[in-house]
Amino acid sequence: MIRDHEPEAGGQEAAALTPPATVGELNDLISELVMALSEAKAIPGGKVLIDREQMLTVLDLLAERLPEEMRQARWMVRERDTFIARTNERAREVIERARHQAKEMVSNTNIIAEATEEANILVRRAEDTSHRIRLEAEDYAEDRLSRLEDVLMRVLDQVRSMRSELHQTRSIG
């Protein structure tokens, strides 16, 4: 039977204070729905009688808790893009400083060759650093998104399994 889920006071403020649901908590909510449907009284026509308020309460709770992982994924992508943009800007600044230093060094005719070589080294280092940081940011984002995908796939598999059980229960009843 579905346990009583009290809506939290404060609406949006309370939702913001609600910690993200774990896969286990989401699975428990889905299990409650499945149990409520499987224990519901059958009525003629192959239909069942359920308590709408209890069902809506659990579905609202599921809807409230599930999107947190999706928001986190979108946040991670935005953070990665912001990080890459900042990294590229820093790299451009380092390159610009290196070029400026190179021009100053070129003005001194005794060290023209040395200045050019040093500027090229600085530019390559900046480009290498920028490239490395960009790859690390992408790897991090990919790892986080992959983990999120795994969690969502497990939840989706559980939902499909429970729907299948529900359909089997209907055809038996």
Side-chain angles (χ1 to χ4, degrees), residues 22-120:
T22 63
V23 173
E25 290 169 337
L26 294 174
N27 189 38
D28 291 345
L29 290 172
I30 293 169
S31 295
E32 287 184 42
L33 289 172
V34 170
M35 190 179 347
L37 289 172
S38 66
E39 293 177 356
K41 291 185 179 180
I43 58 174
K47 301 192 185 281
V48 294
L49 185 61
I50 60 171
D51 183 331
R52 180 184 300 214
E53 288 303 314
Q54 286 181 331
M55 201 59 74
L56 287 174
T57 299
V58 174
L59 288 171
D60 285 343
L61 190 58
L62 262 173
E64 177 184 305
R65 304 291 300 275
L66 186 60
E68 179 61 29
E69 291 171 333
M70 309 261 296
R71 282 193 296 273
Q72 289 177 2
R74 286 192 306 264
W75 175 83
M76 286 190 305
V77 169
R78 280 193 306 269
E79 284 296 308
R80 182 200 71 179
D81 291 345
T82 301
F83 181 76
I84 289 171
R86 280 193 313 252
T87 301
N88 287 338
E89 182 59 32
R90 281 190 230 133
R92 279 190 288 277
E93 290 171 4
V94 168
I95 290 169
E96 186 57 38
R97 281 194 307 260
R99 286 185 178 141
H100 181 71
Q101 287 175 352
K103 285 180 184 178
E104 288 176 5
M105 290 177 181
V106 167
S107 67
N108 186 345
T109 57
N110 294 333
I111 57 170
I112 290 175
E114 185 179 326
T116 303
E117 184 179 329
E118 185 68 24
N120 288 336

Side-chain angles (χ1 to χ4, degrees), residues 104-171:
E104 288 176 5
M105 290 177 181
V106 167
S107 67
N108 186 345
T109 57
N110 294 333
I111 57 170
I112 290 175
E114 185 179 326
T116 303
E117 184 179 329
E118 185 68 24
N120 288 336
I121 290 170
L122 288 172
V123 169
R124 280 193 300 274
R125 282 184 189 159
E127 289 171 347
D128 289 346
T129 300
S130 171
H131 183 70
R132 181 183 51 79
I133 291 171
R134 185 179 308 119
L135 290 177
E136 288 173 357
E138 289 174 359
D139 287 347
Y140 176 77
E142 176 63 29
D143 178 60
R144 302 312 303 183
L145 291 171
S146 176
R147 289 181 186 189
L148 175 62
E149 181 182 39
D150 291 344
V151 168
L152 292 175
M153 291 302 292
R154 287 193 303 260
V155 169
L156 181 60
D157 288 344
Q158 292 171 351
V159 168
R160 286 181 177 154
S161 173
M162 291 176 195
R163 286 186 69 206
S164 175
E165 290 176 24
L166 176 63
H167 291 293
Q168 289 175 358
T169 304
R170 279 190 194 165
S171 63

